[in-house]
Amino acid sequence: MSNWEAIVMFVRTVYVTGDPTKIDTAIRALNTEGRELLEERPGYRGAGVFVDRDLGKLLGVSWWDTAEARHNSDEVMRGRRDALLGPFAGTLTVENFEAVVYQPLQQPRMGGGLRVTRVEFDPADADLVTETFRSTVLPRLETLPGLATTGLLIDRERGTGQVGTLFVDRDSMVVSRAGQAAARHEGVAKAHVSVVGLEEFEVVHTDVHVG
C-alpha cells in the first residue's frame, strides 16, 4: 500500500519552445536570477527546470503554499520572463495547477529524467481522477526502478492535468516506459481520462520542500 503524501500545494508551469542552440542561455538565467526572484516571494516551496535540448523545449515549474502566494508571485515574474527567457523563447505558455498528489521517494540527479503525461477529463470527474491515481496508478509507479518522485497536478475548472514522474537518471526513465504505459492504460480506463500528450525531459534542477 502506498503511503502517498497528503500535502496540497499549488503549482505554476511555464512551457517554452525556441531555438535549441540558445536554450543554455535561458537555463542559466532561470537558475540564477530566476531562482533568486522566486526565493524572495512568500509561500515559495521550490522549483524545477527541465529541458529537451534536441527539440528546444523548456519546462519551468514552481511550487507554492497557497493559490494566493502563487498569484502574487506571478505579478512579479510576469514582468521578468521576457528578459529571463529571451532570446531563446519563441512561444511561452503559463498554466496553474493544484498538486493533489505528491510523492517524493528520493532525490533525482542532475541529468535525470522527467516524464510528463498530459491529460484531459470532465471537470466533474476531478475527484475520480485524483482517487484513481492514488489507489491504482501510484502503487504501480512506485514499483518502477529508479523512480524519484511522482505526482498529479490538476486544474479542476478546465479539466486538465499532468502526471509527472521523475527518475534518478535517464537510463531508469527509459527502462520504465513499458511499466508506466501499463499503469497509464489502467488508470485511463478507470478514471475516464484522455491522454493528450506524452513528453520526456532532462532534469536540470529540481528542489521542492514539503515540510
Side-chain angles (χ1 to χ4, degrees):
M1 179 67 67
S2 170
N3 59 340
W4 54 272
E5 292 282 340
I7 298 170
V8 175
M9 291 184 285
F10 296 84
V11 179
R12 180 172 60 247
T13 66
V14 180
Y15 184 78
V16 190
T17 69
D19 183 343
T21 65
K22 299 176 180 178
I23 198 168
D24 284 331
T25 302
I27 292 171
R28 284 193 295 271
L30 289 179
N31 275 340
T32 53
E33 183 184 352
R35 196 185 307 179
E36 290 171 3
L37 285 169
L38 289 173
E39 289 173 347
E40 292 172 355
R41 307 312 304 165
Y44 175 72
R45 284 291 193 95
V49 177
F50 312 94
V51 297
D52 180 332
R53 296 177 187 273
D54 293 332
L55 290 180
K57 297 189 294 186
L58 184 151
L59 177 65
V61 184
S62 57
W63 299 74
W64 304 90
D65 277 333
T66 65
E68 182 182 17
R70 180 185 62 196
H71 172 76
N72 291 341
S73 73
D74 198 48
E75 294 291 314
V76 174
M77 298 305 296
R78 192 181 304 137
R80 297 294 303 149
R81 286 192 188 112
D82 286 347
L84 290 170
L85 294 169
F88 165 68
T91 69
L92 187 152
T93 303
V94 178
E95 294 184 282
N96 293 313
F97 297 99
E98 177 186 349
V100 290
V101 180
Y102 180 73
Q103 177 67 307
L105 301 172
Q106 55 183 317
Q107 183 65 27
R109 306 168 193 152
M110 182 182 297
L114 168 68
R115 181 176 298 118
V116 175
T117 305
R118 302 180 189 275
V119 299
E120 293 181 350
F121 52 89
D122 186 326
D125 288 334
D127 289 339
L128 172 64
V129 173
T130 301
E131 182 52 38
T132 300
F133 185 83
R134 288 173 177 165
S135 62
T136 301
V137 179
L138 182 58
R140 296 191 65 166
L141 295 181
E142 289 177 326
T143 68
L144 299 175
L147 182 71
T149 303
T150 188
L152 171 64
L153 314 179
I154 66 170
D155 182 327
R156 295 177 183 273
E157 294 184 1
R158 293 171 56 220
T160 62
Q162 299 183 11
V163 175
T165 44
L166 270 163
F167 294 87
V168 294
D169 52 43
R170 177 169 175 79
D171 288 345
S172 297
M173 182 173 69
V174 171
V175 170
S176 75
R177 286 171 181 161
Q180 186 163 354
R184 185 166 56 244
H185 178 73
E186 183 178 0
V188 162
K190 289 186 175 182
H192 311 149
V193 164
S194 297
V195 174
V196 296
L198 184 63
E199 299 178 279
E200 292 182 345
F201 298 87
E202 171 194 343
V203 177
V204 176
H205 165 77
T206 181
D207 186 20
V208 181
H209 307 286
V210 297

